[in-house]
Amino acid sequence: MGYAEIEEISEDETLLKEEVHRFAEEVIRPASIEIDRMPLNEYPEKVVKKDSPYWRVLKEWKKLGYHRGPVPEMFGGEGLPARMVHILVEEVAWGSSGFSIAFGVDLFPILFTAPTFDEYLNETFVKPWLEDDRAKYHGCWGVTEPEHGSDWLLGCDFVLEDDRPERERITPGQVTAKKDGDEWIINGAKSSWISSAPVATHVALHVNLDLAKRSVGGGCVVPLDSPGVTKGKPIAKYGQKDCPQGELAFEDVRIPGVYMTLEPEALHPSTGLMSMDQILCVTSSWMAASSTGLARAAFEEALKYSKERIQGGRPICEHQLVRKKLFEMFVKVETARAYSRRIMEHVWRELFEKFTFKASYRHALAAQVYCKRIAYEVADDALQIFGGYGITDDFLIQKLYRDARVKLIEDGTVEVLSLEGAGDLIRNY
Ligand SMILES: Cc1cc2nc3c(=O)[nH]c(=O)nc-3n(C[C@H](O)[C@H](O)[C@H](O)COP(=O)(O)OP(=O)(O)OC[C@H]3O[C@@H](n4cnc5c(N)ncnc54)[C@H](O)[C@@H]3O)c2cc1C
């Protein structure tokens, strides 16, 4: 392994790190490169095929039971402590930033259902999902819509009474859910950006419960084989191709009432964790850890190359400016790890240990923004160290650079996340 922890980490943590790193190196990274090299015109067909590298990795992930790791014990998972979840995400993202996102969104249907402790949901969905060892179930998270990307972050929540009048509510939400007896009927379309949607079996879906009241959000789980659901093809894109994105459209899709797990009226301690702010605390800590893994991968590639490439009669790592750059990259990776780990420990403690559901929104957003920027800066410097060869297919660094660029947009652009963080600062600091 290329780096040593300065924090004291336990034997269990070391073991997990070594195991996941091996998995990332031997299984995830080769598959991710294979997907990245698919010609763009063939990619949408190829990546979703049942024998594609994507499915190969996902099946292995579930067979090894890693998907249970981050799920708290009270929800039926393994309840890894936050630091171990951080280690898991960083190592996976070292192998592939895209797969770290795919494994993250995979958890969403469980996050939407397990906290209800509903017996029927537990037996029919939560338990089978957690016990799955063949990738029979695969989740995704449907938030953004063709007309609402950033708007969703800036304007959506699950509270009926708006206790934050200064926060402008601008999101009517195009995907609606209407009650019909014991069922809900869903209509509308989510954007082409739903990670893993083209390969998922279930979506944790944000819906608009009442257009007249504007952004009154609800959340439900929808099986994607329900009549009326259409899955779009993966979009051909520039980076993070190893996590395919596609549209989800719903036409009079009926779900049982119990699948609507997040209604404003239902806000109580267990589902309260699902306020949009708290969901974004979880995703922010995940994204920050994932960005750290990606930054480290780019740094390690550059360090290795700088020892091999000879210019001016010696390895470029012996030239002062390259040395300085390498050290600055190292500092960035270390600070990203320290910060993202601290945030994940905070979020996990508040949500899954103390059940306060009051993780600090601004701190979580700060970590996400900071670590995404670090990943991009480090990947940019790393590419520069490779010179011209860096932009050829022969080296991994150009993929890492493209993946890092994508990170500045997914899960909210860094600008809009900063606006959200500033709003929290101004209101509550
Ligand atoms: C790789 C990837 C994976 C994704 N995965 C998912 C997923 O799993 N589920 C999901 O629901 N969505 C997903 N998304 C969507 C993602 O959350 C959105 O792309 C993102 O929130 C930005 O929305 P947009 O692309 O519509 O850009 P827009 O909202 O159209 O923004 C365009 C530009 O305007 C700026 N802007 C917008 N509004 C404001 C404002 N009020 N003030 C200042 N500047 C503003 C933005 O910063 C941006 O630079 C993913 C996106 C990507 C790229």
Side-chain angles (χ1 to χ4, degrees):
M1 194 176 300
Y3 81 100
E5 288 265 1
I6 50 165
E7 270 186 71
E8 265 185 44
I9 66 168
S10 68
E11 231 173 84
D12 282 353
E13 288 168 338
T14 308
L15 203 65
L16 179 80
K17 188 154 82 163
E18 287 172 0
E19 253 181 28
V20 183
H21 186 79
R22 207 172 316 118
F23 184 65
E25 189 166 36
E26 292 171 6
V27 180
I28 298 180
R29 188 177 273 183
S32 119
I33 293 171
E34 219 181 302
I35 296 172
D36 189 61
R37 290 193 174 154
M38 289 175 179
L40 265 196
N41 59 340
E42 295 173 18
Y43 165 81
E45 299 284 333
K46 278 192 164 175
V47 69
V48 294
K49 279 200 171 153
K50 278 286 172 194
D51 60 350
S52 79
Y54 184 91
W55 280 105
R56 213 165 59 220
V57 172
L58 189 72
K59 280 182 185 160
E60 201 59 25
W61 178 255
K62 300 250 176 177
K63 193 169 129 196
L64 292 166
Y66 284 133
H67 65 294
R68 286 190 289 273
V71 179
E73 262 177 8
M74 65 185 296
F75 300 158
E78 274 175 24
L80 288 181
R83 204 151 72 154
M84 289 176 98
V85 177
H86 185 279
I87 288 170
L88 183 85
V89 179
E90 180 182 335
E91 294 309 320
V92 167
W94 177 91
S96 152
S97 162
F99 273 108
S100 77
I101 303 308
F103 298 155
V105 294
D106 181 52
L107 293 170
F108 263 89
I110 286 300
L111 210 60
F112 270 38
T113 49
T116 64
F117 298 106
D118 179 272
E119 218 170 289
Y120 173 78
L121 272 179
N122 195 42
E123 286 305 312
T124 57
F125 180 67
V126 178
K127 250 166 86 179
W129 190 95
L130 287 169
E131 285 163 9
D132 181 20
D133 58 3
R134 288 179 296 137
K136 222 174 123 194
Y137 299 93
H138 187 23
C140 65
W141 181 38
V143 193
T144 56
E145 300 173 344
E147 304 293 324
H148 298 293
S150 304
D151 288 0
W152 253 106
L153 282 182
L154 290 165
C156 142
D157 216 327
F158 294 107
V159 280
L160 260 181
E161 296 302 324
D162 191 347
D163 56 352
R164 287 170 301 183
E166 71 274 33
R167 187 180 184 192
E168 196 188 353
R169 299 194 164 271
I170 48 178
T171 310
Q174 291 158 288
V175 175
T176 60
K178 276 204 171 127
K179 197 94 199 247
D180 183 37
D182 289 340
E183 295 181 324
W184 287 89
I185 306 175
I186 299 171
N187 277 291
K190 288 291 174 186
S191 75
S192 312
W193 291 110
I194 311 305
S195 293
S196 299
V199 275
T201 59
H202 291 75
V203 60
L205 188 71
H206 291 250
V207 290
N208 190 340
L209 293 176
D210 186 347
L211 273 174
K213 290 199 179 88
R214 303 177 36 144
S215 62
V216 178
C220 56
V221 170
V222 183
L224 294 173
D225 59 359
S226 307
V229 175
T230 313
K231 287 195 211 175
K233 276 190 182 169
I235 40 173
K237 62 188 197 296
Y238 162 87
Q240 230 172 258
K241 284 152 71 179
D242 31 18
C243 178
Q245 275 90 28
E247 189 193 51
L248 288 175
F250 305 87
E251 199 182 335
D252 291 330
V253 175
R254 286 179 174 269
I255 55 164
V258 68
Y259 281 36
M260 185 65 73
T261 54
L262 304 172
E263 293 177 69
E265 287 82 359
L267 277 182
H268 56 78
S270 60
T271 53
L273 100 94
M274 296 305 171
S275 75
M276 196 61 181
D277 291 4
Q278 295 301 293
I279 288 178
L280 288 174
C281 284
V282 177
T283 60
S284 289
S285 61
W286 193 282
M287 288 300 289
S290 159
S291 302
T292 304
L294 174 55
R296 189 179 114 220
F299 162 69
E300 289 177 2
E301 287 302 301
L303 181 64
K304 192 166 59 171
Y305 184 78
S306 73
K307 293 182 191 174
E308 291 161 2
R309 175 73 176 159
I310 312 285
Q311 285 297 284
R314 40 196 177 135
I316 57 170
C317 67
E318 290 182 17
H319 294 301
Q320 273 193 339
L321 287 179
V322 175
R323 291 171 85 94
K324 177 174 181 286
K325 221 188 253 291
L326 285 170
F327 189 67
E328 283 169 357
M329 290 158 74
F330 169 74
V331 171
K332 286 177 178 175
V333 174
E334 289 296 305
T335 53
R337 177 176 309 107
Y339 196 17
S340 56
R341 193 171 279 180
R342 186 155 172 240
I343 292 301
M344 192 169 259
E345 282 172 346
H346 164 73
V347 171
W348 249 243
R349 191 170 54 243
E350 295 302 320
L351 267 61
F352 305 131
E353 288 167 29
K354 288 163 67 185
F355 312 112
T356 64
F357 309 106
K358 284 192 176 141
S360 169
Y361 192 36
R362 58 180 173 271
H363 283 92
L365 292 171
Q368 174 168 190
V369 169
Y370 179 77
C371 295
K372 279 172 158 183
R373 287 202 196 279
I374 290 285
Y376 181 67
E377 286 168 18
V378 171
D380 190 31
D381 278 344
L383 187 78
Q384 197 69 9
I385 285 178
F386 274 76
Y389 293 107
I391 54 173
T392 67
D393 257 358
D394 298 340
F395 292 95
L396 177 65
I397 195 61
Q398 45 78 31
K399 173 185 184 295
L400 300 180
Y401 174 80
R402 284 182 280 116
D403 290 350
R405 186 62 188 84
V406 167
K407 273 207 150 14
L408 299 177
I409 299 168
E410 73 180 337
D411 201 44
T413 64
V414 284
E415 293 83 3
V416 163
L417 293 171
S418 304
L419 286 180
E420 275 292 276
D424 186 22
L425 265 185
I426 292 159
R427 281 192 303 273
N428 303 318
Y429 187 82

